[in-house]
Every structure is written in structure tokens, then in C-alpha cells.
Amino acid sequence: MHKVIFDTDPGVDDAMALLFLERHPDIELLGITTAFGNASIETTTRNALYLKQQWGLTAPVSRGSSEQFDPGRKPHPFPAHIHGDDGLGNIGVPDVIDLPLDPRPAHQFIIDTVMANPGEVALVAVGRMTNLANALKAAPEIAGLVREVIIMGGAVDVPGNVTPAAEANIHGDPEAADHVMTAPWKVVVVGLDVTLKTTMSRMELAGLAKQGGAAVELLDRLSQFYIDFYDGEVKDSMVVHDTCACVYLVARELFTTRSGPVRVLTTGIGEGKTLQKPDGHRFGPSEWDGKPSQLVCTDVRADALMALVKKTLVRQ
Ligand code: BDR
Ligand code: CA
């Protein structure tokens, strides 16, 4: 069993990823920690509670930070044109969900859960990396106790999606991302290099909704606004960024990876850019020296990945 804490900013593609984690037989979801990003922390936390309620999830939800890792950094506007004003495709999520939150802030939930399960927990982070960076700052020793950190974020050998350089999850909190990438734990970067290859069409999702019960029907409904947004890029389809990262947990053989330390640019026109120094290349002294080698996904067998996603989403 893969024990997982899911750090997320739901978010339409986050919602699909959450259902994938819940329905995969080899994954045990220990907790859901929320990040701001696709919407404010109030909205993404409310959405996590909504999905927990609708899908009958047992994992606790813990609310994340409302501020970037560097509190002096100016926040970016939320992408309501991609995920809707409510973060879930404008389906009319109730303002208040009558479910309790875990009393601990997300970073403390992460620390406590990792310490209670030494060497066993994977952190799958598909939003800003703020909570992970805060957990490391408060308890650096967790780096040696986490099994691995899988992130959806970054654009290493391809253009970004917020600027020519930067992908949204990194751009939204670059200091946090750099802290996470350079910590002494094992990070796997599942960025736009591979996630843009993993798409699901409107028709495929409608087909799954017929087989997967009320949970997939809700997923289908909340995804329509997001599919409309992505329609310009991938015809009548959605990019399944966050689910792609979750698949790495259970089917890493589908990915091609490259190892080497990763740094994040935190200033200048390349702000939010993820840069890897590939192992085995010779360079002069640089800011990558002495940092741990991490894995960057450079390619993926997209058809096999999507087949696994579809099969898993309709399991009941
Ligand atoms: C990432 O940004 C968000 O819009 C998505 O949920 C995904 O995590 C893609 O750049
Ligand atoms: Ca996300």
C-alpha cells in the first residue's frame, strides 16, 4: 500500500486526481492538505470538504497557509477563467460545508503524519509547494522520514503556462518550490514536459460518468468549464496535470526520468522557472552544487497512463 498525503488546491484537475487516489486499490489516502492557487485558501479548503462529503472520503482535510513561503511576496490573481470562480467549474458549490476540518494547520498535519509513519509516507503535491516548505522549515528532520515527494509542477525542457518560463504551481510560490527541490529528500518533478501529453476528451469523460456512478458524474459536471478553457489547446479535451503526477506513485515504469539537482529562479523575467543540472554533465561552479539530485520526468507513455486513469476512476 502506498500511504499518501495529498497536498492540493481543488481545482478541477485536482478533483480528478483526488478521485484517482481514492479509487486506486494500492493507495491509502492519509490526509488532504489544502493550498491556495487555483482559488483562495478559503475556497480550495471548502472545495476539499465538498469533495470529501460528496465522495464519502474518510481522509481528514487540513487547511493550508494563506500566505506564500516568503510573506513579503505579492500574491498573483487566482485563475478563475480556468477553474471557475468557485474553483470547481462554477457548478454552484455551497458556501459552507458542514464537515469538520482537522484542527492542525496543514504543515503540522504533514509533520505529525510523517513522524507517525517514518519512511512510509509519500507527499503528492499538486498546488503551490507552500505547505511542504513550511513543514520543512518547522521540522527539517522530516526530510529523512518521507518516502518520496511527487510534485505536479514546473516546465523543465518546455515553455511554461503562466509565462514563457514558468508553470503555475511553481510561479505562485517560487521560494517554496526552491526550498522543496533542494531539501535532502527524494523529489520527483512531474511537470508540463509530461502532463501536457496526458489528456481526456469530453466524450471519454462522459463515457466514464455512465460507468463510474455519482462520483464520476460529479467529476464530469465540474470539468466542463475547464474543458471549455483547454479546448483551444487540446481539442474538446482537458489536460489531466494533477492525475498524471498521482499515477507516478503506482506506475512509475510509464515515465522516463533524468536525474540532477533542480533549482527555481525566484527573481527576474524567468521567475518561477525550474532548471535542472543533469547529472553527468560537466559545468563550472554553480548554484546547483551540493544540492541533492532529483528526478525530472521527461517523457511518458501517455496512452498506457490514460488507460490506467480511466480504469481506476470507474472502480467502485
Ligand atoms: C497546475 O496548475 C493548476 O491550474 C492545476 O491544478 C495544476 O496543478 C498546472 O499548471
Ligand atoms: Ca492543482
Side-chain angles (χ1 to χ4, degrees):
M1 268 320 230
H2 300 273
K3 293 186 179 182
V4 172
I5 298 175
F6 187 46
D7 191 73
T8 175
D9 59 338
V12 173
D13 60 320
D14 302 72
M16 181 186 282
L18 178 58
L19 192 59
F20 175 87
L21 292 173
E22 177 68 13
R23 290 200 158 175
H24 196 285
D26 301 336
I27 293 174
E28 185 188 354
L29 190 56
L30 299 182
I32 301 164
T33 51
T34 60
F36 65 88
N38 288 329
S40 69
I41 194 68
E42 290 77 21
T43 301
T44 58
T45 305
R46 186 272 317 257
N47 290 352
L49 287 174
Y50 175 70
L51 295 171
K52 175 178 158 93
Q53 182 189 61
Q54 294 297 311
W55 291 343
L57 312 181
T58 53
V61 175
S62 166
R63 180 186 154 121
S65 173
S66 59
E67 281 190 337
Q68 279 129 313
F69 189 51
D70 171 0
R73 175 173 278 282
K74 208 167 145 253
H76 300 290
F78 303 120
H81 59 296
I82 304 177
H83 295 267
D85 294 314
D86 67 359
L88 288 179
N90 291 338
I91 54 165
V93 181
D95 287 344
V96 179
I97 306 298
D98 190 18
L99 279 183
L101 278 171
D102 189 278
R104 293 163 288 184
H107 74 276
Q108 192 60 49
F109 178 89
I110 292 171
I111 293 168
D112 292 350
T113 309
V114 166
M115 287 188 164
N117 300 270
E120 290 185 27
V121 179
L123 306 178
V124 179
V126 299
R128 298 352 181 208
M129 266 132 258
T130 319
N131 296 325
L132 272 57
N134 283 335
L136 275 172
K137 187 175 173 193
E141 64 276 20
I142 63 163
L145 301 173
V146 167
R147 207 183 83 203
E148 65 184 341
V149 181
I150 301 171
I151 65 145
M152 188 284 128
V156 184
D157 298 342
V158 297
N161 59 1
V162 182
T163 74
E167 181 279 331
N169 288 341
I170 307 292
H171 189 251
D173 197 345
E175 283 82 8
D178 192 55
H179 201 61
V180 167
M181 302 284 192
T182 55
W185 55 12
K186 186 178 156 205
V187 178
V188 183
V189 177
V190 185
L192 299 182
D193 304 68
V194 290
T195 64
L196 286 173
K197 296 177 181 170
T198 56
T199 62
M200 186 180 291
S201 74
R202 204 185 301 264
M203 259 176 60
E204 288 170 318
L205 185 53
L208 297 180
K210 293 203 180 102
Q211 306 164 48
V216 190
E217 280 168 26
L218 173 61
L219 185 64
D220 181 37
R221 202 151 47 85
L222 66 83
S223 299
Q224 296 305 312
F225 186 91
Y226 182 80
I227 294 176
D228 290 343
F229 169 79
Y230 269 107
D231 192 21
E233 256 175 77
V234 280
K235 184 121 192 61
D236 216 22
S237 300
M238 62 190 277
V239 179
V240 301
H241 296 290
D242 292 350
T243 309
C244 182
C246 295
V247 171
Y248 186 90
L249 256 181
V250 287
R252 56 198 61 200
E253 68 280 1
L254 300 180
F255 294 81
T256 307
T257 57
R258 184 176 68 212
S259 69
V262 178
R263 297 299 311 260
V264 177
L265 303 189
T266 55
T267 56
I269 60 168
E271 188 174 272
K273 173 73 187 164
T274 35
L275 284 168
Q276 185 183 40
K277 177 186 177 189
D279 287 339
H281 285 244
R282 287 213 258 161
F283 300 96
S286 75
E287 297 293 330
W288 287 256
D289 294 348
K291 306 295 183 197
S293 270
Q294 310 295 13
L295 288 183
V296 167
C297 293
T298 55
D299 204 359
V300 64
R301 284 168 47 206
D303 289 348
L305 184 144
M306 290 312 301
L308 173 61
V309 170
K310 289 174 197 162
K311 185 173 120 195
T312 306
L313 288 177
V314 298
R315 277 185 94 249
Q316 294 192 60

